[in-house]
Every structure is written in structure tokens, then in C-alpha cells.
Amino acid sequence: MTTPLAEKLASLSGYGPTSSVAQAQYRLDLIAKWPIGHGARVLELGCGQGDTTLALAEAVGATGHVDAVDPARLDYGSPTTLGEAQNTISTGPLGPRIAWIQSEPLKYLKTNPLAQWDVVVLAHSLWYFDSPELILETLRFLASRTQKVCIAEWSLSGINATTHILSALTQAAMECRKPESESNIRTMVAPTRIKELAAQAGLKLVEEALVTPGNGVHDGIWETQLTLGAEFAREVEEFVKDNREKAVILAMRDAVQASMDKIGGIKAVETMDGWVGVFTV
């Protein structure tokens, strides 16, 4: 069920109010699990088109601030690019609360050694990192810059999300063979692994929960379409040289197709639950 606040945030987003109300509500539901209040200074790593950024800007109030960092090119993203979405948000009433920063997260932290934040947020951005080692190094830097780190990532669970889960795993298996990538899934880390990396970085888990997205959150559909698309099949042929590995990835892709067919087609694909965790130093 969506709320008037979700409708408000959707109207301010770069996507337009009709398509993004459910996404705005999901981001609000994530933030409700985190200790973010009025006046907070927040760092968001991996802000993308600003889905979570808008909700954070609302949460911190007029006296708070959000530094929103993302390394992607401003012309990256669909159906709206990062640059277009961020510009739209900046011209709205919450825009003054946000500073958009185009930088690799770790580079930004290293070049701003004195910066401190009340809370650092990584909302559905860990899978974009190039390796678990890079995630660990970033978390170690954060341990000296804040007292709280809040993370959200797909849980690899969900009652009716099997097709989405299979799609994500299939993409992750193929991504391991690409020398470089701009894909949505570059390093797959499940909640168990996230907690292990955070512990190695000196962060202590104090709270965790699952958040089920509403029907209008279509990440499961998007990832399934990508996995079953012709471009994915072409990349498998290009990057996976071992025939046994190729057979496994193609079998996983076939499992995605079979799972989707069983539930009635692409429109029936549901998005998996989101996992949220709160860590302290």
C-alpha cells in the first residue's frame, strides 16, 4: 500500500509520478528501518538516479543534508539517465538538501579525509561494486567516518520471487567472466556475506529486517528480461570460453525461462525481498 508521502516523492523524481510511486514507497519502507532523523548529515554511496536520495532528503528535514555519490556517467541509465534524474530532483523543493557527487565511492572518501557523517547509506549499490575486496576496503574507510552504516540489498529470498532470484544468479555467474562491466550485477553478495565483510571492517550489526516491495517495483521483471535477452546470450558466447561453464550458465538461463513460463509469463515475475541492516562502529 502506498502513502501520500510516496506520491509526493514520486512527483519529484526523475521518472514521473505514475511509474515511480511503488518505488518511492519501497525506499521509504527501507529508510523506516534506519536511524535517520531531522538534522542528520548523510552520505549515500551509489545514489544512481536518486530513488533513495529523495527519501533521505525528506527524512533529514530542512536542517539536514545528503551527500549523494555515484561513479556512473551522467548519460548512464534507462529510461532516464542519472544526469536527467538528478537535475529534475535538484529543481524541486528537496533539491537544496542534496549535493550530487560524481566519483568512485572509495576515491571520494580518500580525497576527503576529514569529512564525517552521522549516517552512511548504501541502498542497493553493493552489487555494483567490482569485487568483495573493494566492498571490504570501502567499509573499513567508513568505520572511521561515521557511527552508523545502513545497508540495503536484495535478499535472494522471497515467497514468489524465484524467477528474479534465478535471473540475478545467472547474471552474476556470467559477470565473473567479463573483464570490465557497467552491468547492474557485478559482485553478488548475499546478506550473510555482507555481514561477514562488515564484521571484518570493524562494524557491528545491531538490527536487520526484510522489506517486501510492492507490486509496482519491477526490478524482478527488468532483470528477467535482461537475462533472457539476445544481448545476454551474445555476451555469454563472447566472454565464457570454457564450454562446461558456458553450459552451466545457459542451463541457469533455461531455468529462468522455465520458472517464468510456469508462473504465467513476464508480467507475473515478482521482485525479491530487500534485506536491510544497521551497523555501528
Side-chain angles (χ1 to χ4, degrees):
M1 181 177 178
T2 57
T3 62
L5 181 55
E7 295 175 1
K8 170 191 171 182
L9 295 185
S11 72
L12 302 176
S13 77
Y15 297 108
T18 302
S19 62
S20 58
V21 174
Q23 188 68 254
Q25 185 62 59
Y26 174 61
R27 304 294 165 150
L28 287 170
D29 292 343
L30 295 181
I31 289 175
K33 304 292 185 181
W34 293 338
I36 299 172
H38 278 221
R41 180 173 174 81
V42 177
L43 171 65
E44 181 188 7
L45 298 181
C47 63
Q49 281 97 335
D51 295 315
T52 304
T53 316
L54 266 173
L56 290 170
E58 175 70 28
V60 301
T63 59
H65 183 79
V66 181
D67 289 322
V69 178
D70 200 285
R73 304 186 318 271
L74 294 181
D75 62 355
Y76 173 81
S78 176
T80 303
T81 68
L82 265 70
E84 292 168 341
Q86 293 174 5
N87 286 338
T88 298
I89 293 171
S90 292
T91 60
L94 300 182
R97 305 178 189 180
I98 303 167
W100 304 104
I101 301 158
Q102 187 183 19
S103 174
E104 292 287 345
L106 191 57
K107 179 180 179 182
Y108 175 73
L109 291 169
K110 288 181 176 179
T111 55
N112 294 273
L114 300 180
Q116 297 280 329
W117 296 271
D118 299 310
V119 183
V120 176
V121 168
L122 297 101
H124 290 288
S125 60
L126 289 183
W127 287 8
Y128 285 85
F129 278 65
D130 289 334
S131 68
E133 291 77 15
L134 181 58
I135 294 174
L136 176 58
E137 187 177 3
T138 302
L139 292 177
R140 280 178 171 155
F141 266 84
L142 294 179
S144 64
R145 304 300 187 83
T146 185
Q147 292 299 309
K148 295 183 176 67
V149 176
C150 299
I151 297 176
E153 196 48 85
W154 298 121
S155 64
L156 296 179
S157 68
I159 296 175
N160 299 307
T162 299
T163 307
H164 185 197
I165 295 166
L166 288 171
S167 297
L169 290 169
T170 303
Q171 290 182 49
M174 201 275 289
E175 283 296 314
C176 294
R177 298 294 171 258
K178 293 171 68 174
E180 56 184 29
S181 175
E182 289 188 344
S183 299
N184 293 350
I185 304 174
R186 304 172 201 177
T187 297
M188 179 173 284
V189 281
T192 298
R193 182 59 174 150
I194 294 171
K195 289 182 281 188
E196 290 174 352
L197 292 169
Q200 292 176 42
L203 298 171
K204 178 182 178 181
L205 179 70
V206 294
E207 187 176 353
E208 64 181 320
L210 293 177
V211 177
T212 300
N215 292 332
V217 178
H218 296 311
D219 293 66
I221 291 177
W222 300 332
E223 297 297 353
T224 300
Q225 289 174 326
L226 191 154
T227 303
L228 297 178
E231 178 62 18
F232 183 86
R234 185 197 67 76
E235 288 190 341
V236 171
E237 293 299 323
E238 178 180 355
F239 295 112
V240 185
K241 304 304 181 184
D242 186 288
N243 284 331
R244 292 176 301 171
E245 292 183 2
K246 185 179 297 184
V248 170
I249 294 172
L250 292 177
M252 293 171 69
R253 187 170 184 257
D254 290 342
V256 173
Q257 181 72 58
S259 175
M260 185 187 74
D261 291 344
K262 184 176 182 179
I263 61 176
I266 189 65
K267 291 184 179 179
V269 174
E270 294 191 13
T271 298
M272 66 182 94
D273 292 338
W275 172 86
V276 294
V278 178
F279 300 83
T280 60
V281 177

